[in-house]
Amino acid sequence: MNTSFVAFMNMRGIACASDTDMTLYALSKREPVAIAVNSYSPIPWDTIINSYLRRGDITLHENFTDYAYDFADYLLTVEGNGKWDNLSEDDSNIIFLGYGTDDIFPSAVDIMVRYDGGDKKLKCDFITEFGISHEADSNFFTLSHFENVESVIYGCNQLLREKLLEKQVDCFKIYKQRVADAFKGTQYEQAVNEYISEYDERQEFTNQLTKMIGAHQKRLFMAIDSFNIEDMVKVAEMFVDSNDQLIHLKNGGNGVLRSTNELAVITRVEGVVWIKHCLYGV
């Protein structure tokens, strides 16, 4: 089982939603800094993060990424466990969200944690560092997979894109053969065959699909950019709920139908504020 977590961010702040508790943790009482984890991971994030917090309030940093580096350094002191070998992407992904002390706009740092069996330590690979600015005015980050709602974001999901690509490639091979046959025995046969052999239809169609995804993502980002915090909260909650409902339907309606359990906003002025948090019965 995995946590479904999403964070939408623009110049106004960050809205986070998760279908499980103990997913988002505030790392400071006075600074807008938080970490999101998969609460179903074999790594005992709740124990590790609370131990980290018991050391006292975090060191302040102008650069938001330095908060993530501090936590990565702390993980090196955590006693390792061989059961953390071969962690899945869902189990090892964590996301830092918030503001550096001089930041007007929020930032996010996407991290993959891996267990080094030789050193028996948890180590961090920094995958994405993204800061909101006037040039990059919106984004979103997720924990766990959201293939079920990919069609809403990108127009089609990864499985459909792969099948579409194979279908296009197969059709184009037939088309190339028809062209070659049409020029067979003519003075243009060699030139046509050389052109056909050099044409990489798989790469061409892959590029077209990438452009299509980029266009859908651009439209999504343009929408997020226009949202106020309340809008982003509603969309984050609907996003998680929709994903869980589709997972439930995909499983034939078996098991418990989950929905948003945690809902929070992170802003420069108010810090990390929970709207919904089952730990405290809110």
Side-chain angles (χ1 to χ4, degrees):
M1 189 174 290
N2 296 307
T3 294
S4 292
F5 170 88
V6 65
F8 288 95
M9 56 195 299
N10 63 17
M11 294 183 184
R12 298 164 186 82
I14 306 171
C16 309
S18 171
D19 62 0
T20 51
D21 211 8
M22 295 186 292
T23 298
L24 187 72
Y25 293 80
L27 296 185
S28 172
K29 294 180 180 179
R30 54 196 175 91
E31 293 299 315
V33 180
I35 181 174
V37 300
N38 181 358
S39 57
Y40 292 107
S41 173
I43 300 173
W45 286 121
D46 186 58
T47 301
I48 291 172
I49 293 171
N50 280 305
S51 176
Y52 179 72
L53 295 175
R54 282 195 293 270
R55 305 185 315 160
D57 211 357
I58 56 177
T59 302
L60 301 185
H61 292 293
E62 294 179 7
N63 183 357
F64 177 73
T65 307
D66 288 336
Y67 290 115
Y69 282 121
D70 281 353
F71 187 74
D73 289 340
Y74 175 74
L75 289 182
L76 293 173
T77 69
V78 173
E79 184 177 351
N81 187 321
K83 295 181 180 179
W84 301 343
D85 276 329
N86 302 316
L87 294 169
S88 70
E89 181 177 326
D90 292 326
D91 291 336
S92 58
N93 193 198
I94 63 175
I95 303 175
F96 266 79
L97 301 154
Y99 297 74
T101 57
D102 287 354
D103 289 341
I104 300 173
F105 305 131
S107 296
V109 182
D110 199 352
I111 300 170
M112 299 302 294
V113 178
R114 55 185 170 83
Y115 178 67
D116 188 322
D119 293 339
K120 297 182 178 179
K121 302 290 185 183
L122 285 171
K123 298 183 178 180
C124 294
D125 296 320
F126 288 71
I127 308 301
T128 306
E129 300 175 20
F130 187 92
I132 294 295
S133 66
H134 289 289
E135 290 73 34
D137 47 24
S138 57
N139 209 328
F140 72 97
F141 292 79
T142 63
L143 289 174
S144 189
H145 296 288
F146 280 81
E147 291 92 343
N148 297 296
V149 291
E150 270 192 304
S151 58
V152 177
I153 305 173
Y154 301 120
C156 61
N157 60 28
Q158 181 61 28
L159 180 61
L160 180 58
R161 289 197 294 270
E162 291 172 358
K163 289 185 176 180
L164 178 60
L165 176 61
E166 293 306 318
K167 184 68 174 178
Q168 288 178 309
V169 170
D170 289 343
C171 288
F172 201 79
K173 285 179 179 178
I174 296 172
Y175 171 73
K176 287 200 299 185
Q177 187 59 54
R178 290 173 60 186
V179 171
D181 291 343
F183 284 93
K184 189 174 182 178
T186 70
Q187 60 180 321
Y188 305 107
E189 179 179 2
Q190 181 177 351
V192 168
N193 286 337
E194 288 177 356
Y195 181 82
I196 288 174
S197 64
E198 292 174 356
Y199 186 83
D200 187 344
E201 63 272 12
R202 181 175 294 276
Q203 185 61 52
E204 179 65 25
F205 292 138
T206 299
N207 291 341
Q208 291 177 14
L209 284 171
T210 301
K211 289 179 182 178
M212 179 188 73
I213 293 170
H216 281 285
Q217 191 173 61
K218 183 177 180 180
R219 286 194 289 271
L220 176 66
F221 286 172
M222 287 175 66
I224 297 172
D225 173 44
S226 67
F227 291 167
N228 57 32
I229 289 293
E230 290 80 7
D231 292 332
M232 288 201 294
V233 168
K234 292 175 184 176
V235 171
E237 184 171 18
M238 290 175 60
F239 197 83
V240 169
D241 287 347
S242 298
N243 190 56
D244 284 341
Q245 288 167 13
L246 289 167
I247 290 173
H248 190 65
L249 288 171
K250 190 176 180 181
N251 293 332
N254 298 318
V256 177
L257 174 58
R258 297 192 293 176
S259 60
T260 300
N261 244 28
E262 281 194 334
L263 200 57
V265 296
I266 307 170
T267 61
R268 170 77 273 176
V269 176
E270 295 182 316
V272 183
V273 178
W274 273 272
I275 299 168
K276 186 185 292 186
H277 199 346
C278 288
L279 265 180
Y280 303 104
V282 178

